[in-house]
Amino acid sequence: MGSIQCGIVGLPNVGKSTIFNAITAAGAQAANYPFCTIEPNVGTVTVPDPRIDRLVEVVKPKSTIHAVMQFVDIAGLVRGASKGEGLGNQFLSHIREVDAVLHVVRCFDDSDVAHVEGSVDPVRDIGIIDTELCIKDLDSVEKRRSKDEKMARIGDKKAKLGMETWDKVLARLNEGKCVRGMELSEDEQAILDELQLLTAKPVLYCCNVHENDLPDGNAYVEAVRAHAQAEGAGVVVISGKIEEEISQLEPDEKKEFLKDLGLTESGLDQVIRAAYALLGLRTYFTAGVQEVRAWTFHKGWKAPACAGVIHTDFEHGFIRAETIAWKDFEALGSQLACKEKGLQRSEGKEYEVQDGDIMHFLFNV
């Protein structure tokens, strides 16, 4: 799998672009992977992980490659986006491409910063965006249902199941409810996934607060938490202003600054950690004198699939994986010590890779 993409959405003046600029700048300063602006609205940052730092310290490789995450600053959302207002369809097509949505909501009062709706109400703001996404999804589903209806008439079994699935989805969307979290069978879910519906994307709500409301938030944040809990979404609380300041600091200064604020990690770190949890992502490592590298995989993946993250040949020709658990490496301090203690295991095709595993794959070409 390639880098994970997280699309940042929000109404105007909620701090969306400020947060995008701050976290991508912070990621560039804090890591060895160079910040890359692929387009004016896309930034790549490294995934902070003290485990890879420990591996580098022990192995002393010639190069180090962290896992990365892309943030896409999706602009142009206003009421009517589904009908082409603002950047309209351009905005919506950008969401379709991302793995998860980071929905920035304004959770601060400031008379100097106008709110497009005239008042601060984060749950209302969430509803505005959800409504636009539901309207766009309704259009997509209705078109697909019409196509499946024609195929069902000539006996296509998949199309018949498709119609049943789309009827369930349409009923939900017509109630103004997002598709994510729907209870569907495995076959129905596979059909739904084909459309990449906007409201099916996992969502992480990012509450933008004044620094005085860090780290726990305020009444606005509590309202967002209640809303998020009802739909199984995640919530992080950060201050766009503070993130801007952090992005200008050197690593040592950053640690001291966070400590003074009573924080243990930056907003960027919180967002990445929460996004990994939301998407069920894990990390394994490869480590040698040439390179130490972090690889991202989905929880539950078996060894051949994880080998395929490196190269498809590794998956197709998989023989076995020499594996060291992170806790064993941490306890003994080196791969050699683990091997000498018999803690380097030889795992086969059915092994479910664990977060933090240090792996070496053997395969046939």
Side-chain angles (χ1 to χ4, degrees), residues 144-351:
R144 177 59 180 269
R145 189 192 182 285
S146 178
K147 180 181 176 182
D148 280 353
E149 187 175 14
K150 293 175 184 176
M151 296 301 294
R153 286 175 187 161
I154 58 174
D156 189 307
K157 292 182 179 179
K158 182 181 176 182
K160 288 180 180 178
L161 178 60
M163 285 184 63
E164 293 172 10
T165 304
W166 302 132
D167 285 343
K168 290 181 182 179
V169 172
L170 285 170
R172 187 175 178 94
L173 290 171
N174 277 316
E175 291 176 1
K177 295 179 180 178
C178 295
V179 172
R180 57 182 172 271
M182 277 190 72
E183 292 186 9
L184 298 171
S185 70
E186 191 174 322
D187 289 339
E188 289 172 333
Q189 187 63 50
I191 288 171
L192 178 66
D193 290 344
E194 291 178 11
L195 270 194
Q196 291 186 293
L197 293 179
L198 307 178
T199 63
K201 301 288 181 183
V203 168
L204 177 63
Y205 293 111
C206 179
C207 298
N208 186 16
V209 302
H210 281 306
E211 67 175 89
N212 293 339
D213 289 323
L214 291 172
D216 299 321
N218 52 33
Y220 294 133
V221 173
E222 288 307 310
V224 174
R225 285 192 176 118
H227 178 87
Q229 185 175 12
E231 63 175 30
V235 177
V236 294
V237 181
I238 70 175
S239 167
K241 182 180 178 182
I242 293 299
E243 292 303 309
E244 267 192 315
E245 293 181 37
I246 290 173
S247 70
Q248 307 302 317
L249 300 175
E250 295 298 325
D252 289 344
E253 294 175 319
K254 172 182 163 183
K255 288 180 182 177
E256 195 62 35
F257 184 72
L258 289 170
K259 185 178 177 182
D260 290 344
L261 290 170
L263 303 175
T264 57
E265 60 183 348
S266 69
L268 170 62
D269 292 355
Q270 286 188 64
V271 167
I272 291 177
R273 183 164 50 78
Y276 262 56
L278 183 70
L279 293 169
L281 301 178
R282 301 292 185 268
T283 303
Y284 76 83
F285 303 100
T286 51
V289 293
Q290 293 298 318
E291 176 186 276
V292 166
R293 183 163 184 165
W295 303 88
T296 303
F297 68 100
H298 282 281
K299 180 183 178 183
W301 278 14
K302 294 182 178 178
C306 287
V309 174
I310 299 175
H311 196 287
T312 53
D313 287 349
F314 282 32
E315 180 173 8
H316 296 151
F318 179 89
I319 299 173
R320 66 180 185 273
E322 301 298 341
T323 307
I324 296 172
W326 179 258
K327 63 179 177 60
D328 293 332
F329 174 84
E330 195 172 35
L332 296 181
S334 74
Q335 291 165 277
L336 179 60
C338 289
K339 192 171 183 180
E340 289 174 344
K341 290 284 187 180
L343 294 173
Q344 178 173 288
R345 314 182 313 273
S346 184
E347 301 289 1
K349 291 183 178 180
E350 293 304 309
Y351 175 63

Side-chain angles (χ1 to χ4, degrees), residues 105-124:
V105 287
R106 177 171 165 176
C107 293
F108 65 88
D109 292 307
D110 190 335
S111 58
D112 293 331
V113 181
H115 191 293
V116 68
E117 292 294 319
S119 62
V120 178
D121 184 341
V123 175
R124 176 204 58 207

Side-chain angles (χ1 to χ4, degrees), residues 77-137:
L77 183 65
V78 293
R79 283 186 187 270
S82 57
K83 300 175 183 177
E85 295 295 330
L87 291 182
N89 291 332
Q90 180 182 344
F91 159 84
L92 296 164
S93 66
H94 283 162
I95 294 182
R96 203 175 298 280
E97 302 303 317
V98 303
D99 299 291
V101 174
L102 179 65
H103 188 156
V104 179
V105 287
R106 177 171 165 176
C107 293
F108 65 88
D109 292 307
D110 190 335
S111 58
D112 293 331
V113 181
H115 191 293
V116 68
E117 292 294 319
S119 62
V120 178
D121 184 341
V123 175
R124 176 204 58 207
D125 295 351
I126 290 168
I128 291 171
I129 289 183
D130 282 351
T131 296
E132 296 303 325
L133 301 187
C134 283
I135 292 170
K136 188 64 178 178
D137 278 351

